[in-house]
Amino acid sequence: MIQMTLQVAEAAVRAAQDKARALGTPMTVTVVDEAGRLVLSARGDGTGFFTPETSRAKAVAAAAFKRSNKDLAEMAAQGGFWAVVPSVLQGQVLPTLGGTPIVRTGHVIGGIGCGGGTGLQDQECADAGADAVK
């Protein structure tokens, strides 16, 4: 089985940060493994001081639930379970725009989370990072 490595995480972070530069927004990018353990976090110049924590929580959500945070955010907006997940898990999981599972050979090996731009910019950067390492 393929596992998350530092090399994979570095490639994903580079691609996400390249996308952020193209969008003209600072971005913090965090990659976790399939169990939500931190692999790499790179705080972008000019990002808010909470972005390392929020980007990690977005990455954990994507890895844990094996789906894009775009989908999770839509479900959270409807209320119920998904709306209370951040409270129940004390902020460790954030089902908002900006997270994407990292999939290789059909298996989720981790997640990438981005924070620093708008929700849509964060999601675009996370998607770019995940796509770069498929």
Side-chain angles (χ1 to χ4, degrees):
M1 179 166 104
I2 294 177
Q3 296 182 6
M4 176 59 70
T5 64
L6 180 58
Q7 183 178 11
V8 170
E10 288 171 336
V13 167
R14 273 193 305 277
Q17 287 179 329
D18 288 346
K19 182 65 173 180
R21 277 189 288 284
L23 294 172
T25 189
M27 192 66 56
T28 295
V29 183
T30 300
V31 175
V32 299
D33 69 10
E34 75 285 352
R37 295 176 297 238
L38 179 65
V39 178
L40 181 64
S41 186
R43 185 174 170 267
D45 295 337
T47 58
F49 59 88
F50 283 128
T51 57
E53 290 81 6
T54 59
S55 64
R56 181 176 182 173
K58 292 175 185 183
V60 170
F65 298 112
K66 299 177 176 15
R67 53 176 55 188
S68 169
N69 285 28
K70 183 176 186 285
D71 296 338
L72 296 175
E74 290 171 4
M75 292 186 291
Q78 295 172 13
F81 171 77
W82 294 104
V84 298
V85 164
S87 295
V88 171
L89 297 175
Q90 300 175 342
Q92 294 180 57
V93 173
L94 193 56
T96 59
L97 290 173
T100 305
I102 296 176
V103 180
R104 296 192 89 182
T105 66
H107 298 339
V108 174
I109 64 165
I112 182 169
C114 296
T118 66
L120 291 174
Q121 290 170 326
D122 293 353
Q123 190 65 50
E124 283 185 61
C125 293
D127 291 344
D131 287 345
V133 296
K134 280 188 176 178

